[in-house]
Amino acid sequence: NAGVTQTPKFRILKIGQSMTLQCTQDMNHNYMYWYRQDPGMGLKLIYYSVGAGITDKGEVPNGYNVSRSTTEDFPLRLELAAPSQTSVYFCASRTGTGDNQPQHFGDGTRLSIL
Amino acid sequence: EDQVTQSPEALRLQEGESSSLNCSYTVSGLRGLFWYRQDPGKGPEFLFTLYSAGEEKEKERLKATLTKKESFLHITAPKPEDSATYLCAVRDSGAGSYQLTFGKGTKLSVIP
């Protein structure tokens, strides 16, 4: 049971480059989330999706874009990389019903912008 | 605005030395408090969900409790393998799509 899979695990980008962080889940979860985690800070929500074709902004969406064409995949796009986007990015998913269902996380993508 | 504060930021324990981690929160209405464990280089791993004051959950050496303003994660006779960062998160009744607000975490080190 793979759960939530994120690729790549590590990446170094130059300022102004673009890239897509991939996230896929095999649990048929409706809800998916993208977070960033900076040293000494809590996880901050970037974007989320409640199902295929539906996305919405979280707390820190500037500089990012997302799409959700299938239930399984929720890629995060950085169009013009900036040093402030150096961070660890986590994708999470949860089932669609029940308050007691937790979010399940992938192991993250560590991104450095130089 | 929801706030989640965890203390201490870091905690060093000798193996077998029991202690507690604190998570205090401010929400308009609590719909769930979640504890996660995060190992270096890994994503958060779910431990417990608590809903109402007085509720308790246990798993091996860990016990989570909840009051109206805070939650405690009690660690009894910890072992080195319990070393990790422990994250607390809350879901507010006003938060759509099961969004969570996370604290900054407590980094626990258990020394043999």
Side-chain angles (χ1 to χ4, degrees), chain A residues 2 4 8 16 24 29 39 43 47 71 74 79 85 91 98 106 114:
Chain A
V4 178
T24 186
H29 286 171
L43 289 156
Y47 271 95
T71 299
F74 190 39
E79 291 293 349
Q85 293 176 307
C91 179
L114 302 176

Side-chain angles (χ1 to χ4, degrees), chain A residues 30-33 47-57 66-71 73-74, chain B residues 97:
Chain A
N30 291 329
Y31 292 81
M32 295 188 75
Y33 309 83
Y47 271 95
Y48 65 95
S49 169
V50 303
I54 307 170
T55 63
D56 207 346
K57 297 178 180 179
V66 293
S67 60
R68 184 97 181 269
S69 58
T70 67
T71 299
D73 301 306
F74 190 39
Chain B
S97 304

Side-chain angles (χ1 to χ4, degrees), chain A residues 33 37 94 99-100 103 110, chain B residues 31 36 41 51 91 97:
Chain A
Y33 309 83
Q37 186 177 42
R94 82 182 294 281
D99 282 348
N100 62 338
Q103 294 182 17
R110 283 143 189 84
Chain B
R31 293 299 296 271
Y36 285 85
Y51 290 102
R91 183 186 167 216
S97 304

